[in-house]
Amino acid sequence: MPEPLAGIRVVELATEISGPYATKLFVDLGATVTKVEPPGGDPLRRWGPFPGDESDPGHSGLFEYLNAGKHVITADLTQPDGIAAAREVIAHADLLVEDRAPGTLEGWGLGVDALARLNPNLVLLRISAFGQSGPWRDRHATPLTLQAVSGWVSLRDPQRPPVQAGARIAEYVAGAYGALGALTAVRQQPTGRVISVDVSEFETLLSTLPYPMLMSERMRSLGFPPNVRSSPMLGVVRAADGWVGINCLTGQHWLDVCAMLGLTEYGDKQIDIMMGGPQRAEFFARAEPVLAERTVAEIVELSQAMRIPAAPVNDGASVLDCPQYAKRGFFTEARGFRQPGKPYRFSDPPAAPPTSPATGENDSGALPFAGLRVLDLSTFWAGAYLTCYLGAFGADIIKVESIQRPDGHRYSGAFPFEGDDWYERSAIWQATNLNKRDLTLDLTSPHGRQIAHRLAARADVVVENFSPRVVEHFELGYESLVALNPGVIMVRMPGFGLEGPWRDYVGWALNIEQTSGMSAVTGYPDGPPCNLQGPADPIVGVHAGVALLAALEQRRRTGEGRLIEVAQIEVAACVTAEPVIEYTMNGVVRPREGNRRRGYLQGVYPTSIDDAWVAVSVPDNGMLDHDMFDELVTAWTRTGTPDHIVTTLRAQGIPAEKLMTGDQMYDITQLDARGFYELFDHPVTGPRRYPGWPFRISAGPQRHHRTPPPTLGQHNDEILRGLGLSGQEIAALRDQRVIGERVLNT
């Protein structure tokens, strides 16, 4: 079968990771990509890793991973003949991708007006540090300072400075969002003018955090410190042969962990221990020897048998031995090394005849997804993030919960002492479920399943991210849906995949980050691996969106539906590629780097204000020892306020940023200038400013979201009447508790 994006022609004027990762995703989906390199080549060619000690730009493993399958031409865009060569390929392209500093294209004579004369139906994807507009447009930045100002650099060890995410993971994020925005723009009807997609790397990182600005505002309203953070329990701990992550998400998980460790007397001490209370050290002093007697595999197997989310903390070597990756054949052979496979898998089209192209879609709609009907069976964050996006751009999203078991994300950051409606107060749930209609259905009942099947029969897209057995138990797997609706596209987003020995393992973002290698590369060389802040969920949601839009593009041509499997551990491994490449090329597992990075003198430094830090990053010309640099900078930064330090350094062209906390994120002028936040009024919690999407589409909607988050079952009557049910039938369903508007037993 042709690949979903077969026939799409892309030109890449990008270097390093963000832009090339966007075009790698297009290559994976069948597009033809022409990469235009400068005479000296993409700088990533000189990054490596290289075989042995050889520093050959022709054998850089990371460059090959990101650029395999692309056609490469060399052109000096500062010279007329180079510009002419670029114009030639751009004239025949559908999509142009660039990630240079704002104004660079214009300086080459390739600004939007010039491109419109050359190719009026072109989609232009532009990735830059802070976007093409706003007061920070031209601010100097490095990957470290972008992580700092977005909240990605966080305190993971109270005795040491906050630390960045390792292995250049953050640089992939803008590429994934860019691919999503570009394919959204492709769905716009030809306008006769260039459609620009303006991606801010800063905003992409901010968009992957669990809404720290909302959580800070909420904590303050409840009388708590605005930036209070708890430590996931038990977190990353030592086993007999390595590191393991044990990640309690609920009170029941904690009770089960205490039972597993023989420490049941701590069962009612969860909050105190999580918040660093006096019993924390005592608990770990007793737990650690028990864990140290068992292997990682034994702890994971026992925990999962008790339905406790636990996972190995894999590095570039051990990830290859992970039974789930191995059974699924995920890591593939390249030239002299192994690398992650594609972040999604497509089934063959069903044997049934295809439906008419554009099933249920209104291609003349003003919004890219107008007329698209989506049945949202997701829970928590990853799947809901995708459907929130689709709804923002015009799709009709029906989110299914139940009064017996509502979406578990409703309980994140909400507290029973707030009253009977406490499950309506989660800012995290609300921010992920804008743009949707909410329906409650008890899928354990025949009536509930029947209604779900009727909705699925009318849907263009069905999205779910439960463990595989859940939807299959309710006869809502792909085989069941195809029998009802041959043209349906189903997106399944299991944590560990639909097949393999870990198919039914439970897990959430931290498990995904630990299994894939994200945690192992984050932290200090002499310290433990560190959890990130949960960005895996939205990163998975964005990749699922890219795959879905490609499938919709193909269905628009063929009428054929698809099953798209997006295993979360595989997406996370795709953006943590370098450790595997280096290990399989050279047998090396690099130590964690803390806040350092090759090519820079940089770090996170204290200021004269307690718990206020600054990130500073300058090119390393080899003239100064890094330890000495850290000592000199620390001595100076300790004497000044964060504002004074960054202002002084920026005046000299040195990238520097304050480490932003949640309570500061509503006060960033760049976000206000770009309209990042939008105000919506919720009937229970009142007005809140919700984050939008980290790009602007020139021909797209001016707003990020369309409707406020719904209350539980808010649209029951509306949706069921749309299916033809009478008022009497709806009332009977409510009496039978198939539907409802309040959680049972609260």
Side-chain angles (χ1 to χ4, degrees):
M1 293 297 298
E3 296 284 353
L5 293 185
I8 298 291
R9 296 160 298 184
V10 182
V11 174
E12 176 197 308
L13 303 179
T15 63
E16 297 284 353
I17 292 179
S18 292
Y21 186 63
T23 54
K24 172 191 165 25
L25 295 178
F26 296 147
V27 169
D28 288 345
L29 292 164
T32 299
V33 175
T34 299
K35 182 181 180 74
V36 181
E37 285 195 77
D42 184 335
L44 199 65
R45 287 185 179 273
R46 296 183 288 279
W47 177 265
F50 303 107
D53 296 327
E54 153 190 8
S55 295
D56 179 358
H59 292 85
S60 168
L62 190 57
F63 178 87
E64 290 189 27
Y65 168 67
L66 291 168
N67 294 284
K70 300 176 184 177
H71 305 283
V72 177
I73 65 172
T74 301
D76 185 347
L77 297 180
T78 67
Q79 301 298 320
D81 58 344
I83 294 293
R87 288 173 61 87
E88 174 63 26
V89 292
I90 293 170
H92 300 94
D94 302 293
L95 176 61
L96 173 62
V97 178
E98 68 96 5
D99 62 0
R100 309 302 173 92
T104 302
L105 278 191
E106 288 73 10
W108 291 336
L110 294 173
V112 172
D113 291 342
L115 291 173
R117 292 189 293 271
L118 180 66
N119 185 344
N121 291 318
L122 186 71
V123 171
L124 170 61
L125 170 58
R126 314 191 73 172
I127 302 174
S128 60
F130 296 105
Q132 303 292 320
S133 63
W136 293 8
R137 173 183 183 266
D138 298 313
R139 180 180 288 189
H140 296 295
T142 69
L144 175 65
T145 62
L146 284 172
Q147 284 200 46
V149 74
S150 67
W152 264 54
V153 178
S154 65
L155 189 66
R156 306 175 212 270
D157 180 344
Q159 307 304 316
R160 309 185 77 161
V163 68
Q164 66 178 342
R168 304 184 69 172
I169 293 166
E171 296 173 57
Y172 292 80
V173 176
Y177 275 103
L180 180 66
L183 292 182
T184 301
V186 165
R187 286 181 62 84
Q188 300 283 119
Q189 289 297 296
T191 61
R193 67 183 191 276
V194 172
I195 299 177
S196 295
V197 182
D198 171 14
V199 178
S200 160
E201 293 175 299
F202 161 49
E203 292 172 20
T204 65
L205 295 180
L206 184 56
S207 295
T208 61
L209 297 180
Y211 311 105
M213 70 297 295
L214 283 163
M215 287 303 298
S216 290
E217 185 179 70
R218 181 149 167 70
M219 291 299 101
R220 183 185 290 111
S221 72
L222 293 171
F224 298 125
N227 297 311
V228 63
R229 288 193 63 196
S230 61
S231 299
M233 288 290 105
L234 301 175
V236 175
V237 291
R238 273 201 181 277
D241 59 345
W243 298 97
V244 64
I246 301 176
N247 311 295
C248 297
L249 186 60
T250 67
Q252 187 60 52
H253 289 152
W254 173 255
L255 293 174
D256 292 340
V257 164
C258 290
M260 180 177 72
L261 298 175
L263 299 174
T264 54
E265 63 270 29
Y266 291 94
D268 61 350
K269 305 294 190 301
Q270 180 183 14
I271 300 300
D272 178 62
I273 294 171
M274 286 177 63
M275 302 302 291
Q279 291 183 303
R280 180 183 176 88
E282 175 187 303
F283 173 81
F284 274 93
R286 295 184 60 187
E288 287 168 352
V290 177
L291 294 165
E293 293 175 352
R294 296 171 177 167
T295 66
V296 170
E298 288 170 344
I299 293 170
V300 170
E301 183 178 0
L302 178 58
S303 298
Q304 289 288 344
M306 299 177 69
R307 309 304 287 168
I308 298 167
V313 180
N314 286 318
D315 59 23
S318 63
V319 72
L320 296 165
D321 298 323
C322 175
Q324 188 67 2
Y325 286 122
K327 180 65 175 179
R328 291 170 60 82
F330 173 66
F331 291 101
T332 62
E333 295 294 332
R335 188 172 57 155
F337 60 89
R338 297 180 74 189
Q339 64 182 18
K342 298 178 182 180
Y344 21 66
R345 304 181 186 209
F346 291 79
S347 72
D348 291 331
T355 58
S356 60
T359 307
E361 298 179 52
N362 176 13
D363 286 342
S364 63
L367 296 175
F369 307 130
L372 191 72
R373 295 180 296 238
V374 180
L375 183 60
D376 181 358
L377 302 176
S378 68
T379 186
F380 284 94
W381 200 2
Y385 194 77
L386 166 60
T387 54
C388 181
Y389 178 78
L390 298 173
F393 285 84
D396 177 21
I397 313 294
I398 295 178
K399 180 174 180 65
V400 176
E401 306 181 73
S402 72
I403 59 174
Q404 292 82 5
R405 190 172 182 177
D407 184 343
H409 216 198
R410 285 183 174 274
Y411 302 119
S412 297
F415 305 96
F417 65 75
E418 295 182 87
D420 290 345
D421 59 0
W422 67 282
Y423 53 85
E424 299 285 9
R425 297 178 178 273
S426 168
I428 294 177
W429 187 91
Q430 289 181 11
T432 313
N433 287 281
L434 298 142
N435 317 308
K436 303 178 185 181
R437 297 191 291 162
D438 197 279
L439 170 70
T440 53
L441 285 178
D442 178 6
L443 295 178
T444 67
S445 75
H447 289 308
R449 287 196 299 276
Q450 182 184 52
I451 293 169
H453 291 161
R454 291 179 63 183
L455 290 169
R458 299 168 51 151
D460 299 294
V461 177
V462 177
V463 176
E464 70 89 16
N465 66 312
F466 286 91
S467 59
R469 61 184 180 181
V470 174
V471 293
E472 292 165 4
H473 176 72
F474 296 130
E475 299 177 329
L476 288 167
Y478 181 62
E479 294 76 12
S480 299
L481 297 188
V482 166
L484 300 167
N485 182 353
V488 71
I489 297 175
M490 186 175 195
V491 183
R492 302 195 65 179
M493 304 163 65
F496 299 93
L498 297 178
E499 302 295 339
W502 291 7
R503 173 183 187 268
D504 294 319
Y505 273 19
V506 295
W508 54 298
L510 296 184
N511 298 78
I512 305 308
E513 293 160 11
Q514 292 155 359
T515 302
S516 64
M518 282 184 167
S519 298
V521 295
T522 300
Y524 289 95
D526 56 348
C530 292
N531 292 324
L532 283 74
Q533 297 182 66
D537 272 304
I539 290 172
V540 169
V542 170
H543 282 77
V546 171
L548 171 60
L549 296 196
L552 286 169
E553 183 66 21
Q554 186 173 48
R555 194 181 69 174
R556 186 153 58 177
R557 301 191 305 267
T558 67
E560 294 172 333
R562 283 289 190 281
L563 168 65
I564 305 171
E565 179 190 358
V566 186
Q568 296 182 32
I569 61 167
E570 293 179 353
V571 172
C574 284
V575 301
T576 320
E578 188 174 353
V580 169
I581 295 171
E582 182 157 29
Y583 177 75
T584 56
M585 183 179 282
N586 293 318
V588 172
V589 176
R590 284 187 182 271
R592 286 175 284 280
E593 295 183 308
N595 288 314
R596 295 186 178 183
R597 171 176 159 170
R598 192 177 351 138
Y600 290 93
L601 294 170
Q602 64 178 32
V604 172
Y605 303 102
T607 69
S608 61
I609 299 176
D610 288 344
D611 298 323
W613 304 82
V614 293
V616 180
S617 184
V618 298
D620 181 4
N621 57 15
M623 299 295 289
L624 184 62
D625 174 77
H626 207 309
D627 289 340
M628 182 178 294
F629 176 82
D630 288 341
E631 290 177 14
L632 292 171
V633 175
T634 298
W636 177 66
T637 59
R638 283 188 186 279
T639 66
T641 66
D643 287 331
H644 172 74
I645 293 164
V646 298
T647 300
T648 301
L649 293 175
R650 286 186 203 140
Q652 301 176 58
I654 297 174
E657 296 288 352
K658 297 186 293 185
L659 267 62
M660 299 299 289
T661 53
D663 62 332
Q664 300 169 323
M665 290 176 177
Y666 278 131
D667 302 321
I668 297 176
T669 57
Q670 178 69 5
L671 298 178
D672 289 340
R674 288 172 60 85
F676 183 69
Y677 296 113
E678 285 195 311
L679 182 69
F680 284 94
D681 199 3
H682 186 272
V684 174
T685 56
R688 280 178 172 162
R689 296 176 67 199
Y690 297 96
W693 306 104
F695 47 75
R696 311 292 176 273
I697 301 177
S698 61
Q702 297 303 303
R703 301 191 62 183
H704 288 286
H705 298 292
R706 292 192 300 142
T707 60
T711 56
L712 184 69
Q714 179 178 337
H715 302 95
N716 284 342
D717 289 56
E718 175 186 314
I719 293 168
L720 295 176
R721 286 195 184 102
L723 289 177
L725 274 68
S726 67
Q728 186 175 7
E729 290 172 315
I730 294 171
L733 291 172
R734 190 168 281 113
D735 289 342
Q736 297 163 16
R737 296 182 174 178
V738 175
I739 66 171
E741 290 73 35
R742 297 192 62 81
V743 173
L744 289 182
N745 302 319
T746 62

